[in-house]
Amino acid sequence: MKTLVIIGAGGMGRELVDMMRESNRSPYENFAFVDDTVPARTVVHGVRVIGNRLILGTMAPGSVKICVAHGDPAKRLDLLEDIRRYGHPFATIIDPSAQVSSTATIGEGVIICARALINCDVTVGAHAVIYVGAILGHDVSIGRNAFIGPNAVINGGVHVGEGVLVGAG
């Protein structure tokens, strides 16, 4: 499985392409965008949009990995619920510049962006986004599908609930 399908060709999707291209550890050889608003065959940031989310139903289950690149937790949840039925696994993406403690637990489909710091015994729920420069102190718990904005600081022991959006700084 060498193709990463990024759901969303907007800013976060383009950032994910950069993360993967600049990483020496990326297991993906190919990238494609799926976007409900950008026409198929459009090239965005050097990557072709292959269609809207319905195209996932035409691909063999498990033939690609999926990453949902939307910052709005409600939009992410809508997409996740729709995409799950196609049987494709979700990719967890961690920027090479992020620091993630070996004692942290990172869920399926999580995105951890550049310069994020995830300290000891942190739990990040499935499909959460930890954006650029965010800091999660010891024993923090981030709920499923939450979005932690750029340079946000969540101190030790705090629990951020499912689907919560924490803004920048």
Side-chain angles (χ1 to χ4, degrees), residues 5-64:
V5 175
I6 300 169
I7 310 299
M12 185 180 291
R14 295 189 319 267
E15 288 183 23
L16 285 173
V17 169
D18 280 352
M19 284 169 48
M20 294 293 92
R21 285 181 175 158
E22 294 171 10
S23 173
N24 295 332
R25 303 178 298 193
S26 175
Y28 305 105
E29 295 172 0
N30 303 301
F31 305 98
F33 281 123
V34 166
D35 196 293
D36 291 341
T37 61
V38 178
R41 294 184 296 280
T42 301
V43 176
V44 176
H45 207 58
V47 175
R48 184 173 303 279
V49 176
I50 58 174
N52 64 28
R53 68 177 104 172
L54 297 176
I55 198 164
L56 297 173
T58 67
M59 300 174 183
S63 62
V64 298

Side-chain angles (χ1 to χ4, degrees), residues 44-93:
V44 176
H45 207 58
V47 175
R48 184 173 303 279
V49 176
I50 58 174
N52 64 28
R53 68 177 104 172
L54 297 176
I55 198 164
L56 297 173
T58 67
M59 300 174 183
S63 62
V64 298
K65 279 205 172 181
I66 306 292
C67 185
V68 178
H70 279 278
D72 178 351
K75 178 68 173 174
R76 288 175 62 79
L77 184 59
D78 172 57
L79 289 165
L80 289 166
E81 289 175 353
D82 200 28
I83 292 165
R84 274 194 182 92
R85 70 181 177 190
Y86 297 121
H88 299 294
F90 290 93
T92 297
I93 307 292

Side-chain angles (χ1 to χ4, degrees), residues 149-153 166-169:
N151 296 315
V153 178
V166 175

Side-chain angles (χ1 to χ4, degrees), residues 108-131:
E108 169 192 59
V110 167
I111 299 169
I112 300 176
C113 295
R115 299 180 315 283
L117 175 60
I118 314 296
N119 281 322
C120 65
D121 300 315
V122 167
T123 299
V124 179
H127 306 291
V129 175
I130 311 302
Y131 220 66

